[in-house]
Amino acid sequence: MATRTRRAQRRTEALTRERIVEAAVELLDTAGESGLTFRALTERLATGAGAIYWHVANKNELLDAATDGVVAAALAVEPADSPRDGIRAAALGLFDAIERHPWLAAQLALQLSRSPWGSVTPRIFESIGRQVLALGVPEGSLFTATSALVHYVLGAAGQNAANAGGPPSEVDRAEFLDAVSQAWEELDPGDYPFTRAIAAEIRGHDDREQFLAGIDLVLAGITAVHLGGDAGADR
């Protein structure tokens, strides 16, 4: 009996908030938000619910902490040679994180819309906004320029992650894109002239390249509007 008590004490002492959050991320990745329960956590961590509640008050706090932990890791990129490279690196970090963690896109949308005072939204804005500031965007335009980038990154990455829930392999993806392209090509030319014109581009496109091309378009717009065309091109 005493031995079991000492083991329980050691297990409780070894339990940290960081380990709980790590286990929560694992559960979210494998079972989704509905699978993240304190009962599932106690089983995964081999501990009691009380030990978990000592570190985390409720599921919402746990979701916030899991989201913040994943975002922090995604934005921990190497220093870039230029603000543009820094923006691209942060954007790709978030893109890859959202692709790896299917639950993340929905949590980020909630964070931005319902609790922007939490840790996640400032973390994302700080990471990208510092680079926008370094580009030379004037005060008074920083929020708009940074918001445009943030919303593009999260929107495009979230849509890509949603699409990734479909075809599981490159062969299936190629077949899927070919079917989409063919369907668009067969649309009524009078009603869908533009959609028909771009249908062939659907085949074989690379999601990451398309994502980065979108970042470059947003940056080109910021440069043209706020930095006088090519003024910030090499910054």
Side-chain angles (χ1 to χ4, degrees):
M1 180 68 177
T3 300
R4 286 200 299 272
T5 301
R6 286 195 295 271
R7 286 175 180 171
Q9 288 174 342
R10 286 198 298 270
R11 188 164 58 238
T12 300
E13 290 169 358
L15 188 65
T16 64
R17 181 181 173 90
E18 290 73 21
R19 178 66 190 107
I20 294 170
V21 171
E22 179 183 329
V25 171
E26 293 169 358
L27 279 171
L28 286 164
D29 288 347
T30 56
E33 184 179 340
S34 63
L36 177 61
T37 66
F38 276 73
R39 180 176 181 178
L41 271 178
T42 60
E43 293 177 357
R44 180 173 287 265
L45 294 168
T47 189
I52 296 176
Y53 280 115
W54 177 263
H55 296 280
V56 183
N58 51 53
K59 182 174 178 177
N60 285 337
E61 182 180 335
L62 190 56
L63 281 168
D64 290 348
T67 302
D68 187 53
V70 170
V71 168
L75 295 175
V77 297
E78 294 294 327
D81 294 332
S82 70
R84 288 170 178 268
D85 288 342
I87 289 169
R88 287 165 64 94
L92 269 182
L94 290 169
F95 181 91
D96 291 340
I98 291 172
E99 188 173 50
R100 285 194 302 269
H101 305 284
W103 53 273
L104 184 59
Q107 287 302 312
L108 287 174
L110 287 174
Q111 290 283 341
L112 264 68
S113 62
R114 296 185 184 179
S115 56
W117 47 80
S119 58
V120 174
T121 301
R123 189 184 297 282
I124 294 173
F125 267 80
E126 184 67 26
S127 178
I128 295 178
R130 284 189 186 186
Q131 304 300 329
V132 173
L133 179 62
L135 277 175
V137 173
E139 186 177 347
S141 299
L142 289 168
F143 175 66
T144 299
T146 303
S147 292
L149 281 163
V150 169
H151 287 297
Y152 168 77
V153 169
L154 299 185
Q159 183 60 53
N160 178 75
N163 293 342
S169 70
E170 285 301 317
V171 174
D172 288 340
R173 181 180 186 275
E175 292 176 352
F176 175 79
L177 293 177
D178 186 69
V180 174
S181 180
Q182 183 175 345
W184 284 16
E185 289 171 343
E186 294 172 356
L187 291 170
D188 187 297
D191 293 334
Y192 300 97
F194 173 78
T195 305
R196 281 170 53 92
I198 65 170
E201 297 180 32
I202 297 292
R203 292 186 176 92
H205 78 275
D206 183 277
D207 291 330
R208 286 168 65 87
E209 289 181 3
Q210 186 182 49
F211 175 74
L212 286 175
I215 292 290
D216 290 339
L217 283 173
V218 178
L219 286 173
I222 292 173
T223 298
V225 172
H226 298 298
L227 304 176
D230 295 331
D234 297 326
R235 296 188 182 184

